[in-house]
Amino acid sequence: NNLVKTLKKYELEQFEQLDGILTISIVDNEDIGKLTRTKSITIPYSLYPTELNNDYSGVDLFHLGGMNWLPNKQASERLTCLLPHIQRTNTNVQLHFIGKGTNELNTQGKSGITTHGFIDNIDEFCINIGILVTPITSGSGIRIKILEMMRLGIPVITTSKGAQGIDVNYNKCLLIAKTDNELVNACNLLISDKALRSELGLSAKMYIAKF
């Protein structure tokens, strides 16, 4: 709590000394506008097109992010608890944790979980797995990793918090799960429906290309 108060005080002081602020999402711009009189504008985060092709044969789940950020750790723990419920319908489904510190997660005795740590060639690796599941419930700002996976045409399941800064209504570019039951159902739906995986993935690529 002391650290939060100190950082907030510092940031507010810095805002007032700036000529202008550039944000990467409309949500960030609105939040900053409530805190300072300094002018701010949004310049969306941009991504290069990819030449990698996704055949949507991958049906496993993965979460991407370093464990040194609390929202990622919380999301990973939530997925670990929910995996057995998903496996009741899809017995052979695997869950992969990718990112710095994931190989230190306590997955002992938990069936179907693999930790990879930091991966160099992340794009091709994730395409071959299948479905990004990011049940983020805290933190703020736009999630760059989600945009990077959308760029690859990877189908995404996340929360309203995880989709912050993304126009989720645009051409059904990802799935939003508000509760644990919705998250389990969304995973099972995508695992069993290749056409829907393809539809979401291609819509996600179109979203990135347009915005």
Side-chain angles (χ1 to χ4, degrees):
N1 287 336
N2 286 334
L3 180 59
V4 169
K5 291 177 183 177
T6 301
L7 283 173
K8 183 175 182 179
K9 181 176 181 293
Y10 171 78
E11 289 173 353
L12 291 175
E13 290 172 350
Q14 295 304 307
F15 284 161
E16 297 304 318
Q17 298 181 42
L18 301 175
D19 295 316
I21 300 170
L22 308 179
T23 69
I24 61 173
S25 81
I26 294 174
V27 174
D28 290 331
N29 197 8
E30 291 175 347
D31 287 343
I32 287 176
K34 298 173 185 176
L35 300 173
T36 179
R37 294 167 296 178
T38 302
K39 184 177 180 181
S40 62
I41 61 172
T42 300
I43 300 180
Y45 181 77
S46 61
L47 293 162
Y48 291 105
T50 177
E51 297 180 358
L52 293 174
N53 292 318
N54 193 334
D55 63 7
Y56 298 101
S57 59
V59 296
D60 282 339
L61 312 173
F62 71 95
H63 180 268
L64 177 62
M67 293 300 104
N68 56 345
W69 193 51
L70 183 59
N72 279 336
K73 189 172 183 180
Q74 292 171 335
S76 299
E77 291 171 350
R78 185 181 180 192
L79 277 174
T80 299
C81 292
L82 292 178
L83 182 62
H85 299 280
I86 299 170
Q87 291 172 328
R88 289 175 187 171
T89 302
N90 292 279
T91 309
N92 297 320
V93 70
Q94 301 287 307
L95 172 60
H96 301 261
F97 289 116
I98 306 165
K100 185 178 180 180
T102 55
N103 46 11
E104 298 174 7
L105 289 172
N106 181 18
T107 58
Q108 196 170 26
K110 297 178 175 66
S111 175
I113 297 179
T114 304
T115 59
H116 299 274
F118 181 82
I119 298 292
D120 287 324
N121 189 3
I122 193 68
D123 289 357
E124 192 168 346
F125 189 83
C126 290
I127 278 183
N128 291 328
I129 293 177
I131 304 163
L132 174 67
V133 189
T134 306
I136 296 289
T137 56
S138 61
S140 62
I142 195 166
R143 271 65 184 185
I144 301 300
K145 291 299 181 183
I146 290 181
L147 295 180
E148 290 175 340
M149 296 299 102
M150 289 173 65
R151 157 185 169 266
L152 298 170
I154 291 175
V156 176
I157 302 170
T158 189
T159 60
S160 297
K161 178 68 73 172
Q164 194 173 50
I166 299 173
D167 184 1
V168 297
N169 295 318
Y170 175 78
N171 208 21
K172 197 177 181 181
C173 60
L174 49 75
L175 293 183
I176 299 293
K178 298 179 181 179
T179 66
D180 286 350
N181 283 337
E182 288 181 4
L183 188 66
V184 170
N185 291 337
C187 289
N188 285 329
L189 178 62
L190 281 184
I191 290 168
S192 62
D193 193 336
K194 183 177 181 180
L196 182 56
R197 293 198 301 273
S198 176
E199 178 187 345
L200 278 178
L202 293 176
S203 294
K205 291 183 76 171
M206 289 175 60
Y207 176 89
I208 294 299
K210 181 174 181 178
F211 295 99

